[in-house]
Amino acid sequence: MKFIDLDFQYELLKEKISNRLRGVLESGSYIMGPEVLELEEQLKSYVGVGHCVTCANGTDALQLSLMALGLKENDRVITTPFTFFATAEAISIVGAEPIFIDIEESSYNISPEKIEAFLSKLNKDELGKIKAIIAVDLFGLPANYAKLKKICQDYNLFLIGDGAQSFGGEVECKKTGSFGEISTTSFFPAKPLGCYGDGGAVFTDSKELADLVRSLRVHGKGKDKYDNIRIGLNSRLDTIQAAVLLEKLMIFDNELHLRQKVANYYQQNIGDGYIKPSIYDNHMSAWAQYSLRCKAGDARKSIQEKLNAKGIPTQVYYKIPLHLQTAFRDLMYKRGDFPVAEKVSETIFSIPMHPYLKREDQDLIIEVLNQSV
Ligand SMILES: *Cc1c(COP(=O)(O)O)cnc(C)c1O
């Protein structure tokens, strides 16, 4: 059994993808070929925003977004400590400082209430340094954007959505990627919509921001890449990856539906010995991961071993919350600062989740889980 089965999907799309790739190879347009523009058109209408700009990966998508918003040294950006490292890394790369705020125990996403409590205690000088919030849609579940938007309006902050795990997720029938000033996603192979290498994208309704990201991804180009009007990056999506994504996008809604079916079956049949994902009303997760917590605090290791003995792979996302990562030691956070993120990181684990997970495999996973507590 595989944790994420990319081979099955490849078998399904083999011929179509091979034809697309042959087309790119024979065209010679390896960089910014027509497939890249076609993909950007399709992604922007899928997400329902004015502009989509693809780039080299989801981390660059965050960095490009922060650069386009003008974030730099001495600025501060609020984000969650319970995410993949790249979310906060991008803040540091542009010279700004991540400010971590604890998560909600129910959704594992950043807590709007805790952000408000934090902001309400700051003086005017301190408030002036805080420029943005990066919300992360952890495991595919969109963050609480309604509340986050209100806070951003009240405190005059930019809202950035890190949708690396949530492409396809929805709030009240609106897709992730359409909530903040600017949002990002990743096409890393294991994400809900993945390519066969690295890839990413930025979404925004602002033409000004989209134009800035288009310039920034090609060395801060002006008229062309030999006219450089700002410092940027080299961060384009390869034509080959765009070609792969065009084929995968065609079956993506069906895959979302299949993921939802797997999630529903887990939700209904995994017993009460576990804390299962809770999804806010009107929200639809993209189910990048299906993650559980053991009610008995120290049982994770033995449950993972029992699953492993039956050939069922598991993963822990994330063992070390970001405020305790060595790379952020200079920020001077310590154990105990974010008790919810810390507790969750000690008890959570993820079980196999992908659109092609067989019912008999789901049954085995559920049986072993329910016998283990
Ligand atoms: C994967 C991921 C990223 C980074 O995406 P890459 O394409 O690997 O650079 C950023 N944020 C989150 C939450 C992620 O899961």
Side-chain angles (χ1 to χ4, degrees), residues 56-62 82-89 136-139 162-165 184-189 191 197-200 318:
N57 56 68
T59 310
D60 281 6
L62 286 164
F82 195 59
T83 175
F84 180 56
F85 185 65
T87 310
E89 184 183 32
V136 177
D137 307 327
L138 203 76
F139 304 144
D162 178 352
Q165 302 181 7
T184 65
T185 198
S186 162
F187 304 123
F188 183 82
K191 310 283 178 171
D198 280 306
Y318 292 95

Side-chain angles (χ1 to χ4, degrees), residues 264-326:
N264 290 347
Y265 197 66
Y266 279 158
Q267 293 287 68
Q268 280 155 19
N269 294 294
I270 293 172
D272 290 336
Y274 299 90
I275 300 167
K276 292 178 269 186
S278 60
I279 307 299
Y280 314 110
D281 287 348
N282 301 321
H283 284 228
M284 195 185 90
S285 176
W287 295 110
Q289 302 295 341
Y290 187 92
S291 304
L292 294 166
R293 277 191 294 148
C294 326
K295 282 196 177 155
D298 53 359
R300 176 167 73 188
K301 193 156 173 272
S302 78
I303 291 167
Q304 283 187 284
E305 280 166 6
K306 284 182 187 138
L307 289 161
N308 190 40
K310 299 278 183 185
I312 301 165
T314 57
Q315 297 281 350
V316 173
Y317 302 115
Y318 292 95
K319 240 181 209 131
I320 307 177
L322 298 194
H323 66 290
L324 301 178
Q325 288 283 5
T326 310

